[in-house]
Amino acid sequence: MITKITIKKLLVVIICLCLSQFLFSCDSREMEEKEEKLMLNWVQWSGGSLREDGSRSYWDPVTASYAKVNIMQVIYWPKDEKGMQINGVPTASQYQQVMDHAKYDIEISNDLGIDIIGYSDTVQFNIDNLKTEYTDIHLEDLCALNYRLEPVFTTAWDPKGLYVACINSPKWRELLKENVYLTAKAGFAGLQYDFHPYAAASYFCNCKHCQEGWKTHSKEVLGEELAIPRFFDFKTEAGREYYKWKIQCFADFMIETGSKAKEFNPDFQLLMNHNMNSYDLVLEILLGAVDTPTSEYHGVHNGVESSLYMYQLAEAFGKKEVFTVYNSADQGKPISRYKVNLAESFAVCGSMSFMDSTEGVAAFSFVNAHEKVYSGTHSMAEVGLMYSWESSLFSDIEINYNTLYYDHVSDISRQASTALVKAGICHDYLALEYEGVLDRMKQYKVLIIPEYDYFNLETWEEPLKKFTESGGKLIVLGDNAKNFVRSILDDQEGKIFYISDFTGSSNQSNLILSDDFINLITTEKINKQLVLLNNLEYAAATIRQGDPDIYIHIIHRGDDSEKIDKTQMLKFKIPERFDVGDVSVECPFENTEIKVEWDITEDGYLKITTDSFDTYLLITVISK
């Protein structure tokens, strides 16, 4: 029998589909299923509409469907028997009640083509609440211990306070494994954990599981049983090894707690709320802990300084998407900042979260209508920034040990990337610890070595020798990097260039590029792929290829009111065996037609001049 609520759900779906088609239809045909699905995400934590029974939906798929959103990250709060919100990880029974309540919203969302990512705390718990269901569980079974062997208790996110669990606790892993499984069983496409990277105490837990684990590991790797340190000391082998062991523990935790859910649904994703510019996410990706990286904009002067490096770094480790989101609404104000963030994310491999605004709707509808541009393309950059997570982390950087926030502004590789952006050089990150690096580096004609203080010979030696032997050029920044390179490679005039006085800065606007750097990096013998001819102070570009066309993404950063010249002039070296048929330009934030002039020079460059545009321009070089 068809119930009233079923009829209502069907009507909601039909209405949503009709409105969505009416408002944003660009092509009536259905898009063919692709191996790489275009992801347009929205972190929606505001809740949905009231239902007939007076309860409230957890999220609103109707608004999302208007903007062509196809994946949403949502939040929900379990309640106790008195109807009070439960903070921290709930019991399985309490969590199941949440899943039952979400079923209505899941079905509507899926009918609209929207996958839903759920939410869970990772380490916080109320022991009295857990004991209502798990009578055989005790505080010492779960809790992280500080160096005084006291249970870790925090009021950082709950004024009443919660205990912090150790991710190495077998009982804690089993508890979360069941909740993740219930999420998959309820029809969610994935689940995002929260809080662990910011709970510093769990990285220096002294519980019996961590003590035994570290003693065993240090004995195997370092030859002696060592005590758990008080903080990461990256100047010692033991300190570096402890860090790597701790991140491996986290990777094991993620893999184990997601295992039952993935047996039920192999496509289920397990995510972690984190920062792509953080101190440990790169290694977690490398160890297989995170299916899709998610990144807040914590500490990023977004919209003014380039955030392209966040997406380029993820792509260097084989990730097709990065879901990015603001920590606070202020980060998206003025709206010009949000437009820049949208442009930078889609210009690489990201998916900046939808913000319910005219600009957000325009951008998401634009991207959806250009699927082949934003899904399945690859970078064509001929300049690569050599990245080692060990070199980046173990060099002279600052870490706040109270929260373990990574001070990204002092990150040496980010500073080198910033310098390249400021010089107008299209580039990628080349991840040395990621498999297949020797094959991937064949794409590049020039590789940049940042001024790292720490180099692992085993990581660096073979790629450097292979690259120079094949005719590639190296640009080495800083004296420490210079000394390291000279220890394994002879000086080669015209192939290895040293910039001794390169020093980064805490922010992009204060980064002063030396004459030596500018004169070298902008010469045609180094950079002859794409040259921006104006607006270098706030323009950036990426070059990507699909089938069969080439896409040049131009982003203008900063406040619109500060910009005088909104045109763009550039020249692009036409690749061999590519015949230019036409050039088109489009902008999601412009209603008027943008004019473009182009011609092909005698030396094989495509010279392009455009009209004014707002923030982001997609240039399509169309193959004959």
Side-chain angles (χ1 to χ4, degrees):
M1 184 176 81
I2 299 178
T3 64
K4 289 183 179 180
I5 194 168
T6 302
I7 293 173
K8 181 181 178 183
K9 286 166 60 178
L10 288 172
L11 288 173
V12 169
V13 171
I14 291 170
I15 291 171
C16 291
L17 286 171
C18 290
L19 285 172
S20 177
Q21 183 70 13
F22 173 75
L23 290 172
F24 300 109
S25 175
C26 296
D27 190 345
S28 60
R29 66 181 177 81
E30 287 187 6
M31 293 185 179
E32 296 180 0
E33 190 69 20
K34 293 190 175 184
E35 184 178 345
E36 295 180 22
K37 181 181 178 183
L38 174 65
M39 292 293 188
L40 293 167
N41 82 306
W42 188 5
V43 176
Q44 190 186 96
W45 288 0
S46 56
S49 60
L50 287 174
R51 300 176 181 172
E52 287 184 349
D53 62 2
S55 64
R56 184 173 294 278
S57 292
Y58 290 134
W59 63 88
D60 170 26
V62 177
T63 304
S65 70
Y66 294 164
K68 303 298 184 183
V69 169
N70 58 19
I71 188 164
M72 292 176 65
Q73 297 167 255
V74 303
I75 196 168
Y76 37 74
W77 300 108
K79 295 182 179 180
D80 61 21
E81 55 188 15
K82 296 181 181 179
M84 300 299 292
Q85 177 177 305
I86 298 171
N87 292 328
V89 173
T91 68
S93 296
Q94 292 165 341
Y95 193 77
Q96 182 61 62
Q97 291 177 6
V98 174
M99 297 296 98
D100 292 341
H101 188 73
K103 185 177 180 181
Y104 175 90
D105 302 319
I106 285 282
E107 291 180 359
I108 289 180
S109 300
N110 291 169
D111 287 339
L112 290 169
I114 303 172
D115 291 332
I116 305 297
I117 303 292
Y119 173 89
S120 175
D121 199 322
T122 320
V123 292
Q124 297 183 112
F125 67 96
N126 181 319
I127 187 63
D128 293 330
N129 179 66
L130 294 183
K131 279 183 172 293
T132 62
E133 183 170 336
Y134 310 117
T135 56
D136 62 339
I137 208 166
H138 303 286
L139 185 63
E140 56 268 27
D141 295 327
L142 307 178
C143 205
L145 302 181
N146 62 24
Y147 70 96
R148 299 188 188 94
L149 303 183
E150 301 165 337
V152 177
F153 188 81
T154 180
T155 57
W157 298 285
D158 185 338
K160 294 181 180 179
L162 294 168
Y163 286 104
V164 175
C166 175
I167 60 169
N168 284 334
S169 163
K171 288 191 176 181
W172 184 251
R173 291 190 179 194
E174 284 301 314
L175 193 157
L176 285 182
K177 183 192 296 184
E178 185 63 23
N179 284 2
V180 177
Y181 166 68
L182 293 176
T183 310
K185 192 176 178 182
F188 284 82
L191 180 139
Q192 177 173 273
Y193 281 142
D194 201 359
F195 296 122
H196 176 262
Y198 317 117
S202 60
Y203 284 86
F204 300 99
C205 173
N206 285 262
C207 76
K208 62 181 180 181
H209 308 294
C210 290
Q211 289 193 42
E212 292 170 2
W214 172 237
K215 283 181 180 179
T216 300
H217 183 81
S218 60
K219 178 69 173 178
E220 292 176 352
V221 176
L222 302 172
E224 59 177 326
E225 293 185 355
L226 297 177
I228 291 172
R230 294 278 298 276
F231 58 89
F232 293 130
D233 182 2
F234 295 150
K235 297 186 183 301
T236 67
E237 184 181 8
R240 295 191 295 268
E241 194 58 46
Y242 177 76
Y243 169 85
K244 289 187 277 188
W245 174 76
K246 249 328 190 182
I247 305 306
Q248 181 64 65
C249 290
F250 174 78
D252 294 341
F253 163 81
M254 292 289 285
I255 293 168
E256 183 176 344
T257 56
S259 60
K260 188 175 180 181
K262 293 187 177 186
E263 287 177 7
F264 178 84
N265 176 11
D267 295 326
F268 187 86
Q269 296 189 73
L270 191 58
L271 316 178
M272 169 57 72
N273 183 27
H274 214 341
N275 295 292
M276 196 63 233
N277 59 339
S278 69
Y279 70 100
D280 60 351
L281 183 54
V282 169
L283 181 53
E284 291 164 6
I285 292 173
L286 190 63
L287 294 173
V290 178
D291 293 321
T292 297
T294 67
S295 185
E296 297 179 342
Y297 266 82
H298 178 81
V300 180
H301 194 192
N302 59 299
V304 178
E305 298 182 5
S306 177
S307 63
L308 284 172
Y309 70 93
M310 291 167 49
Y311 307 102
Q312 292 167 328
L313 185 55
E315 188 172 52
F317 283 90
K319 293 303 179 183
K320 302 300 182 184
E321 283 90 27
V322 181
F323 296 152
T324 46
V325 61
Y326 292 141
N327 302 75
S328 64
D330 289 345
Q331 289 179 316
K333 298 176 183 177
I335 199 68
S336 59
R337 299 178 75 178
Y338 179 56
K339 290 189 290 185
V340 172
N341 297 150
L342 283 169
E344 289 186 322
S345 69
F346 292 128
V348 187
C349 68
S351 183
M352 180 69 204
S353 182
F354 174 73
M355 189 165 70
D356 195 0
S357 63
T358 301
E359 292 79 6
V361 169
F364 271 54
S365 190
F366 181 85
V367 172
N368 183 74
H370 295 75
E371 184 175 16
K372 69 175 184 177
V373 178
Y374 300 101
S375 179
T377 63
H378 64 272
S379 172
M380 293 179 65
E382 295 178 352
V383 176
L385 180 65
M386 299 188 80
Y387 177 85
S388 158
W389 73 262
E390 286 187 305
S391 293
S392 182
L393 181 67
F394 298 157
S395 292
D396 185 19
I397 67 166
E398 295 180 8
I399 289 183
N400 181 337
Y401 291 105
N402 293 323
T403 63
L404 291 188
Y405 276 140
Y406 189 24
D407 179 18
H408 83 282
V409 296
S410 66
D411 179 86
I412 292 167
S413 63
R414 183 208 65 87
Q415 291 180 357
S417 178
T418 295
L420 292 173
V421 169
K422 200 160 186 174
I425 307 298
C426 289
H427 64 283
D428 297 330
Y429 276 72
L430 176 66
L432 297 183
E433 287 100 347
Y434 186 58
E435 60 185 9
V437 63
L438 297 181
D439 286 331
R440 290 197 315 282
M441 72 182 186
K442 294 175 183 177
Q443 171 182 333
Y444 305 105
K445 296 181 178 179
V446 179
L447 290 178
I448 314 292
I449 302 179
E451 51 178 348
Y452 294 126
D453 295 325
Y454 177 87
F455 291 91
N456 184 329
L457 184 64
E458 187 176 344
T459 300
W460 284 87
E461 184 174 24
E462 185 177 12
L464 287 177
K465 288 183 175 180
K466 293 284 187 183
F467 186 71
T468 52
E469 288 170 1
S470 66
K473 295 182 173 64
L474 283 178
I475 296 178
V476 185
L477 306 179
D479 289 335
N480 287 323
K482 175 182 179 179
N483 293 335
F484 172 74
V485 171
R486 281 184 166 172
S487 71
I488 56 177
L489 294 175
D490 295 329
D491 285 348
Q492 301 174 45
E493 186 175 353
K495 291 183 64 177
I496 304 179
F497 305 89
Y498 296 102
I499 305 294
S500 294
D501 61 347
F502 179 87
T503 301
S505 172
S506 60
N507 59 61
Q508 188 166 312
S509 59
N510 291 340
L511 177 60
I512 305 300
L513 303 181
S514 69
D515 291 340
D516 286 347
F517 181 83
I518 289 291
N519 293 337
L520 175 61
I521 201 71
T522 58
T523 57
E524 187 168 311
K525 63 182 178 181
I526 297 299
N527 173 46
K528 57 183 178 181
Q529 184 183 29
L530 185 142
V531 179
L532 300 179
L533 300 175
N534 66 329
N535 300 329
L536 284 180
E537 278 302 307
Y538 60 82
T542 66
I543 313 168
R544 303 183 71 83
Q545 186 159 24
D547 184 17
D549 302 328
I550 294 172
Y551 308 109
I552 302 174
H553 303 265
I554 304 292
I555 305 104
H556 284 180
R557 301 180 305 280
D559 189 336
D560 287 337
S561 64
E562 298 175 358
K563 299 174 186 175
I564 299 174
D565 183 3
K566 298 183 181 181
T567 66
Q568 190 62 58
M569 294 181 288
L570 59 89
K571 62 179 186 177
F572 171 62
K573 185 70 173 179
I574 302 170
E576 294 182 6
R577 297 183 294 278
F578 186 93
D579 293 324
V580 178
D582 200 1
V583 175
S584 68
V585 295
E586 300 171 90
C587 172
F589 307 120
E590 287 280 353
N591 295 322
T592 58
E593 182 179 352
I594 302 172
K595 294 180 181 179
V596 59
E597 296 180 0
W598 64 274
D599 60 13
I600 299 175
T601 64
E602 292 183 358
D603 55 352
Y605 277 93
L606 175 65
K607 194 170 183 180
I608 298 174
T609 302
T610 77
D611 271 353
S612 296
F613 64 93
D614 183 358
T615 307
Y616 171 56
L617 191 68
L618 170 64
I619 301 175
T620 303
V621 183
I622 302 168
S623 174
K624 280 185 180 179

